[in-house]
């Protein structure tokens, strides 16, 4: 019948031209926004600044870029899809282990080993996604913690991965990367470029039909499915994408550190800090995790290197206390995070703050 | 037949919310679904579009069995619905809400086309001026329109409307009834659950009546309105009985 050939629902006055819309100019027009410029400038500026002040500055900004990448990847799951993961670091650790193993035992080069680590993390997410993405809310969050701890216990019991002691690279291995100093620079640039790729991916996802489906799931998963969003598939893809990059970043990180061990690879504290970074900057925005991770990481470095004492007591792991306090403040007062708050304040700013 | 509902039964624990309900629906018609509160109307919708698995019976939509299909599959086949208790995607804009319907409904549109369709549909339901606002900023009447716009943007063959007139003032009701007629003119088949009798009787080609989960009457609006069993069913719901009687008087 006629519904079949219906070309589109017309408003009563079909003679009027359709109102111009900000999406009309096609895919490129949709992607090229002032907000993208801000994002690119932020990352590239950080990348260059970190590279132009010697080894100490490079080290500080390496961790900033690393956490921007990790937080932005978490944001695809947490911010867009609305699934809170306390165990995101498992992909960093697992990918790191697989890649490290390839370098250490199989003699692979860093590049293929990194890609292997990413693929391993993505595959892990694919398997996990099918199993635990059916859980909602707190159940999912708890499952992610369980997986991180289970993975740590598993690795401790695998002798080939070095058991509880992990693995240590022979320093000579850096020779084929132009020496240890050069290898550090290589990892810095690789991480910087990868972080740029994570952020671009995050941006493209947000602007895509896929991203619209994820955000619909975040707002009301059942209603989204009633409208036709294939939530199980979309969630799984979101999980896989958000796991891929931490896997690669993990290989680079542990290669740079020249050793890997279970406690460092599957560190739940890091996972919680990632959550703080995303929520501090603004979950569901692209710029939020960048600023959140950058700000938090710089603060963290300051706290770690200063002799801060409270009532004469030196507080161990003070950055974690600060993280907890920050999380409390965000959840209580600005649940949308810094960028989310700015966006809600001004429509004019919204174009610039994606 | 666009829809064949055969012996559909839904039991919750010990409660039979829908009891052996059967009816057919011809393409292009508007079917009114009435009955007192708690009669099982919404549950019947939930059985049709796959939110609940059926305890017994089957639903056939355009020749295809829907039993056991997830809701997104049902949407893909061209069946869209609204929710009695509105479910806006709060932190998305009104336009984006409607785009979700367009992007993931029967036509699986790309973002560009979905935007155009969303703007058309929003103009059609009178929400075009609010397209850029967040959905949670709308009032209830507007949220009902948004539910309808999302469903329409999917360009479905069959549209299930669950009390879209409830809570609207008389002017809004008239406007909405007008909209529903226009939707039918597009060739979309409609089942509407409604409490406002004159509206349902005015706009429906046929009416079915549920009471305690059982289908107690079926026919043209005039036939159903004169049915003794229907009037008695509504007497169990004093509020509605009064309204029904009032309408008969005046
Ligand atoms: N998910 C559910 N679990 C248990 N009982 C339910 C559920 N949904 C509806 N019911 C019950 O089924 C009956 C019919 O409800 P409903 O379909 O909402 O009625 P109506 O839409 O006609 O007002 C009511 O008694 C209601 O309490
Ligand atoms: Mg109901």
């Amino acid at each position: 019948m006629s519904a079949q050939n219906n070309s589109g629902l017309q408003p009563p006055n079909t003679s009027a031209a359709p109102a111009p819309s900000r999406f009309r100019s096609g895919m490129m027009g949709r992607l090229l926004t002032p907000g993208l410029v801000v994002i690119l400038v932020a990352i590239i500026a950080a990348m260059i600044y970190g590279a132009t002040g010697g080894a100490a500055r490079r080290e500080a900004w390496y961790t900033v870029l690393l956490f921007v990448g990790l937080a932005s990847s978490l944001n695809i799951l947490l911010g867009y899809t609305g699934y809170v993961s306390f165990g995101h670091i498992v992909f960093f650790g697992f990918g790191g282990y697989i890649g490290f193993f390839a370098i250490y035992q199989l003699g692979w080069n860093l590049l293929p080993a990194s890609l292997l680590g990413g693929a391993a993390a993505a595959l892990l997410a694919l398997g996990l996604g099918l199993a635990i993405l059916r859980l909602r809310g707190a159940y999912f969050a708890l499952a992610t913690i369980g997986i991180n701890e289970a993975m740590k216990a598993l690795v401790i019991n695998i002798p080939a991965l070095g058991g509880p002691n992990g693995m240590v690279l022979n320093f000579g291995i850096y020779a084929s990367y132009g020496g240890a100093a050069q290898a550090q620079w290589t990892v810095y640039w690789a991480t910087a470029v990868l972080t740029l790729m994570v952020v671009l991916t995050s941006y493209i996802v947000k602007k895509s039909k896929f991203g619209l489906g994820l955000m619909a799931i975040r707002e009301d998963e059942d209603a989204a499915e009633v409208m036709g969003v294939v939530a199980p598939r979309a969630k799984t893809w979101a999980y896989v994408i958000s796991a891929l990059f931490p896997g690669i970043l993990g290989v680079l990180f542990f290669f740079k550190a020249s050793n890997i061990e279970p406690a460092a690879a599957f560190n739940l504290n890091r996972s919680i800090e990632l959550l703080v970074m995303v929520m501090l900057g603004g979950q569901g925005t692209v710029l939020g995790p960048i600023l959140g991770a950058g700000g938090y990481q710089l603060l963290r470095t300051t706290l770690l290197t200063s002799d801060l004492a409270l009532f004469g007591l030196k507080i161990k792991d003070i950055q974690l206390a600060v993280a907890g306090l920050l999380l409390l403040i965000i959840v209580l007062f600005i649940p949308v995070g810094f960028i989310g708050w700015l966006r809600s304040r001004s429509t004019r700013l919204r174009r610039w703050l994606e | 037949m666009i829809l064949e509902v055969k012996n559909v039964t839904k039991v919750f624990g010990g409660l039979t919310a829908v009891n052996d309900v059967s009816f057919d629906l011809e393409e292009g018609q508007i079917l009114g679904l009435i009955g007192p509160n708690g009669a099982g109307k919404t549950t019947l919708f939930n059985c049709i579009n796959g939110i609940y698995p059926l305890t017994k019976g089957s639903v056939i939509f355009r020749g295809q069995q829907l039993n056991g299909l997830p809701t997104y599959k049902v949407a893909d086949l061209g069946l869209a619905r609204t929710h009695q208790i509105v479910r806006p995607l709060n932190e998305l804009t009104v336009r984006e809400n409607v785009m979700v319907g367009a992007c993931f409904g029967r036509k699986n549109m790309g973002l560009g086309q979905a935007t155009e369709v969303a703007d058309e549909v929003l103009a059609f339901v009178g929400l075009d001026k609010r397209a850029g606002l967040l959905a949670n900023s709308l009032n209830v009447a507007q949220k009902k329109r948004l539910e309808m716009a999302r469903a329409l943007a999917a360009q479905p063959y069959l549209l299930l409307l669950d009390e879209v007139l409830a809570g609207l003032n008389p002017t809004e009701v008239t406007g909405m009834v007008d909209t529903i007629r226009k939707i039918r003119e597009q060739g979309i088949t409609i089942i509407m659950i409604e409490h406002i009798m004159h509206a349902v009787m005015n706009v429906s080609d046929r009416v079915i009546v549920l009471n305690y989960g059982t289908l107690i009457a079926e026919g043209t609006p005039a036939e159903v309105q004169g049915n003794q069993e229907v009037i008695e069913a509504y007497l169990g719901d004093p509020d509605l009985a009064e309204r029904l009687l009032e309408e008969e008087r005046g």
Side-chain angles (χ1 to χ4, degrees), chain B residues 25 88 106 110 134 160 162 178 199 208 247:
Chain B
L25 179 56
R106 175 171 74 89
L134 291 186
L160 309 182
D162 197 345
D178 219 40
I208 59 177
E247 278 163 21

mmCIF file of all heavy atoms in Angstrom, chain B residues 25 88 106 110 134 160 162 178 199 208 247:
data_model
loop_
_atom_site.group_PDB
_atom_site.id
_atom_site.type_symbol
_atom_site.label_atom_id
_atom_site.label_comp_id
_atom_site.label_asym_id
_atom_site.label_seq_id
_atom_site.Cartn_x
_atom_site.Cartn_y
_atom_site.Cartn_z
ATOM 1 N N LEU B 25 -6.127 -6.704 11.919
ATOM 2 C CA LEU B 25 -6.129 -5.281 11.586
ATOM 3 C C LEU B 25 -5.815 -5.126 10.108
ATOM 4 O O LEU B 25 -4.827 -5.658 9.608
ATOM 5 C CB LEU B 25 -5.090 -4.559 12.450
ATOM 6 C CG LEU B 25 -4.925 -3.065 12.220
ATOM 7 C CD1 LEU B 25 -6.251 -2.340 12.378
ATOM 8 C CD2 LEU B 25 -3.907 -2.509 13.205
ATOM 9 N N PRO B 88 11.591 10.296 27.009
ATOM 10 C CA PRO B 88 12.477 11.107 26.181
ATOM 11 C C PRO B 88 13.941 10.750 26.470
ATOM 12 O O PRO B 88 14.261 10.300 27.567
ATOM 13 C CB PRO B 88 12.172 12.537 26.645
ATOM 14 C CG PRO B 88 11.642 12.387 28.029
ATOM 15 C CD PRO B 88 10.953 11.063 28.085
ATOM 16 N N ARG B 106 12.600 1.716 10.347
ATOM 17 C CA ARG B 106 12.467 0.868 9.156
ATOM 18 C C ARG B 106 13.419 1.258 8.040
ATOM 19 O O ARG B 106 13.984 0.413 7.361
ATOM 20 C CB ARG B 106 11.023 0.964 8.648
ATOM 21 C CG ARG B 106 10.776 0.235 7.349
ATOM 22 C CD ARG B 106 9.309 0.193 7.017
ATOM 23 N NE ARG B 106 8.790 1.460 6.561
ATOM 24 C CZ ARG B 106 8.782 1.857 5.287
ATOM 25 N NH1 ARG B 106 9.290 1.078 4.363
ATOM 26 N NH2 ARG B 106 8.264 3.020 4.952
ATOM 27 N N GLY B 110 20.675 7.498 6.862
ATOM 28 C CA GLY B 110 21.917 8.120 7.302
ATOM 29 C C GLY B 110 21.605 9.406 8.045
ATOM 30 O O GLY B 110 20.467 9.874 8.025
ATOM 31 N N LEU B 134 17.194 20.708 24.639
ATOM 32 C CA LEU B 134 17.283 19.366 25.202
ATOM 33 C C LEU B 134 15.880 18.845 25.474
ATOM 34 O O LEU B 134 14.984 19.592 25.878
ATOM 35 C CB LEU B 134 18.088 19.386 26.505
ATOM 36 C CG LEU B 134 19.588 19.669 26.371
ATOM 37 C CD1 LEU B 134 20.281 19.514 27.723
ATOM 38 C CD2 LEU B 134 20.240 18.749 25.352
ATOM 39 N N LEU B 160 1.756 2.282 16.958
ATOM 40 C CA LEU B 160 0.989 2.023 18.176
ATOM 41 C C LEU B 160 1.059 3.268 19.057
ATOM 42 O O LEU B 160 2.141 3.681 19.467
ATOM 43 C CB LEU B 160 1.572 0.823 18.944
ATOM 44 C CG LEU B 160 1.806 -0.481 18.171
ATOM 45 C CD1 LEU B 160 2.345 -1.565 19.107
ATOM 46 C CD2 LEU B 160 0.529 -0.961 17.497
ATOM 47 N N ASP B 162 0.006 4.959 22.563
ATOM 48 C CA ASP B 162 -0.489 4.636 23.899
ATOM 49 C C ASP B 162 -0.851 5.906 24.657
ATOM 50 O O ASP B 162 0.008 6.576 25.215
ATOM 51 C CB ASP B 162 0.570 3.824 24.669
ATOM 52 C CG ASP B 162 -0.033 3.118 25.889
ATOM 53 O OD1 ASP B 162 -1.158 3.475 26.282
ATOM 54 O OD2 ASP B 162 0.645 2.238 26.450
ATOM 55 N N ASP B 178 -6.300 15.777 14.977
ATOM 56 C CA ASP B 178 -6.056 16.222 13.613
ATOM 57 C C ASP B 178 -4.776 15.599 13.065
ATOM 58 O O ASP B 178 -4.736 15.100 11.935
ATOM 59 C CB ASP B 178 -5.905 17.753 13.656
ATOM 60 C CG ASP B 178 -6.564 18.397 12.462
ATOM 61 O OD1 ASP B 178 -7.666 17.927 12.089
ATOM 62 O OD2 ASP B 178 -5.960 19.341 11.922
ATOM 63 N N ALA B 199 -12.897 11.349 21.334
ATOM 64 C CA ALA B 199 -11.783 11.373 20.395
ATOM 65 C C ALA B 199 -11.624 10.026 19.707
ATOM 66 O O ALA B 199 -11.546 9.929 18.483
ATOM 67 C CB ALA B 199 -10.497 11.742 21.139
ATOM 68 N N ILE B 208 -11.850 -1.961 19.661
ATOM 69 C CA ILE B 208 -11.936 -3.173 20.465
ATOM 70 C C ILE B 208 -11.850 -2.780 21.936
ATOM 71 O O ILE B 208 -11.241 -1.770 22.285
ATOM 72 C CB ILE B 208 -10.840 -4.209 20.119
ATOM 73 C CG1 ILE B 208 -9.443 -3.623 20.315
ATOM 74 C CG2 ILE B 208 -11.011 -4.730 18.706
ATOM 75 C CD1 ILE B 208 -8.339 -4.632 20.055
ATOM 76 N N GLU B 247 -20.863 11.818 27.896
ATOM 77 C CA GLU B 247 -20.738 11.951 26.452
ATOM 78 C C GLU B 247 -21.985 11.439 25.761
ATOM 79 O O GLU B 247 -22.397 11.960 24.732
ATOM 80 C CB GLU B 247 -19.513 11.182 25.952
ATOM 81 C CG GLU B 247 -18.243 11.990 26.138
ATOM 82 C CD GLU B 247 -17.006 11.122 26.055
ATOM 83 O OE1 GLU B 247 -17.080 10.024 25.480
ATOM 84 O OE2 GLU B 247 -15.970 11.558 26.595
#
